[in-house]
Amino acid sequence: MITYMCKNNHSQELQLLHYGTEACAPGHHFGPAMRDYYKIHYILDGKGTFEVGGKKVTLRKGQGFLIVPHSVVHYEADQNDPWEYSWVAFQGSNCPSLLQQACLSEHHPIFELGNDDEMRSCLHRMINSRNTHKGWEVSMTGLLFQFFSILIDQANEDSPISVQDYTKETYVTQVMDFIEINYANTITVQSIASHVGLQRSYLCSLFKDKMGTSIQSYLVNYRMRRAAELTLDPALTIGDISRSVGYTDQLLFSKMFKKVMGEAPTYYRKHKTAPSHLCS
């Protein structure tokens, strides 16, 4: 097994975390367990099974599968013809958009390449690279974008290989993941529903049933919790904090912050940063 870690890449838009290749032993498996980042496996040879959401598919050379954050998966090499695969792990705010263009998602995690010469070449260059020059991280990010370019170019929206019938909890997790990545941007409940792939009204009903609150309230509360953390940084103005959590209107931000946190952001900052002997 060859594995490379990318510890110094600080890009928030698309970050390559680690990558590698492995010729698996018969029956070698992972899970059932979950990751807290995205990961794509591409099968170079052999075959195995991939299971998520109670659905299992058998995959072979030329196919691959996506793992999304916080989704419980299980995959296992075939006993007689174990697979060899390469993998790429990544995160960042660009991930949902790139995966959507590649027609990949938690409810459609499987892909197949008709011609994989470009993919093999890209993975070969990635895996055989060495951290020996100043531009190495930039080069690796470029290869990661090329990796997505290949997936997008050969994307098939009507692929018959998919994992359907996901649980309601899966969609709720997708909503929370989307908010966690995109809370600083201008997002709406409709944009979240489009990302998840459900009708807005149905998703809102499903989310409230499972979480006891609306998507909009969850979004506001998440943003305010993040804003509360940012108030502890004295270098940031209230305006900076407001924009950092998706509010261009500072007055509206202050109103929402007080509603959620119980105090206006300026008072919250004073109380949280005051010396302990003054808070007694």
Side-chain angles (χ1 to χ4, degrees):
M1 179 174 68
I2 302 173
T3 304
Y4 296 103
M5 307 296 292
C6 301
K7 297 181 179 179
N8 298 318
N9 187 337
H10 300 295
S11 170
Q12 298 299 308
E13 295 181 351
L14 185 62
Q15 180 182 3
L16 179 62
L17 300 177
H18 57 85
Y19 55 98
T21 188
E22 182 172 10
C24 297
H28 173 76
H29 69 277
F30 171 84
M34 62 183 182
R35 308 285 192 183
D36 58 2
Y37 47 79
Y38 294 97
K39 191 173 186 180
I40 289 179
H41 289 70
Y42 182 70
I43 305 166
L44 303 170
D45 203 5
K47 59 184 178 180
T49 59
F50 173 70
E51 182 176 0
V52 63
K55 298 292 183 178
K56 180 188 291 187
V57 291
T58 298
L59 302 176
R60 52 178 170 72
K61 174 182 175 181
Q63 297 177 324
F65 55 91
L66 165 71
I67 300 171
V68 304
H70 313 303
S71 178
V72 176
V73 301
H74 176 266
Y75 51 95
E76 182 173 339
D78 187 76
Q79 290 287 347
N80 300 315
D81 185 18
W83 54 20
E84 175 185 358
Y85 51 54
S86 292
W87 73 84
V88 179
F90 52 93
Q91 63 184 14
S93 59
N94 275 353
C95 293
S97 174
L98 290 168
L99 290 169
Q100 183 178 30
Q101 293 177 68
C103 299
L104 290 173
S105 65
E106 188 171 12
H107 61 279
H108 192 173
I110 311 303
F111 64 93
E112 181 171 2
L113 301 182
N115 184 339
D116 71 350
D117 291 344
E118 283 189 281
M119 176 62 78
R120 287 176 178 266
S121 175
C122 178
L123 290 168
H124 177 79
R125 280 182 288 156
M126 186 179 290
I127 292 167
N128 288 279
S129 66
R130 294 293 183 272
N131 186 2
T132 57
H133 57 87
K134 291 181 180 179
W136 180 78
E137 290 183 13
V138 175
S139 175
M140 296 308 297
T141 302
L143 285 172
L144 181 55
F145 272 110
Q146 183 181 354
F147 176 83
F148 273 108
S149 175
I150 295 166
L151 292 176
I152 292 168
D153 189 52
Q154 299 200 41
N156 179 8
E157 296 182 5
D158 300 318
S159 172
I161 306 171
S162 61
V163 179
Q164 302 292 347
D165 301 326
Y166 275 64
T167 63
K168 293 181 178 181
E169 288 78 8
T170 300
Y171 292 114
V172 170
T173 299
Q174 279 189 281
V175 172
M176 293 189 292
D177 288 344
F178 185 84
I179 288 174
E180 182 177 346
I181 293 172
N182 295 282
Y183 72 91
N185 303 320
T186 301
I187 57 175
T188 63
V189 174
Q190 181 57 56
S191 66
I192 296 172
S194 297
H195 167 76
V196 172
L198 294 178
Q199 289 186 347
R200 182 181 183 278
S201 58
Y202 177 72
L203 180 62
C204 288
S205 175
L206 183 156
F207 190 89
K208 189 166 187 178
D209 180 58
K210 291 296 179 181
M211 298 297 292
T213 187
S214 68
I215 295 176
Q216 184 63 36
S217 293
Y218 182 89
L219 172 60
V220 170
N221 277 271
Y222 187 89
R223 283 171 161 168
M224 295 307 111
R225 291 196 303 271
R226 292 291 295 121
E229 295 173 6
L230 294 176
T231 61
L232 303 181
D233 185 346
L236 296 175
T237 68
I238 300 302
D240 293 335
I241 297 170
S242 172
R243 290 184 292 273
S244 296
V245 297
Y247 284 83
T248 56
D249 185 335
Q250 187 175 325
L251 291 177
L252 176 60
F253 163 73
S254 295
K255 178 181 178 181
M256 299 309 297
F257 188 96
K258 184 175 182 180
K259 181 179 179 181
V260 174
M261 305 305 299
E263 293 181 300
T266 50
Y267 290 103
Y268 185 91
R269 164 177 274 171
K270 288 179 181 179
H271 292 164
K272 290 296 180 180
T273 59
S276 57
H277 69 278
L278 295 179
C279 297
S280 58

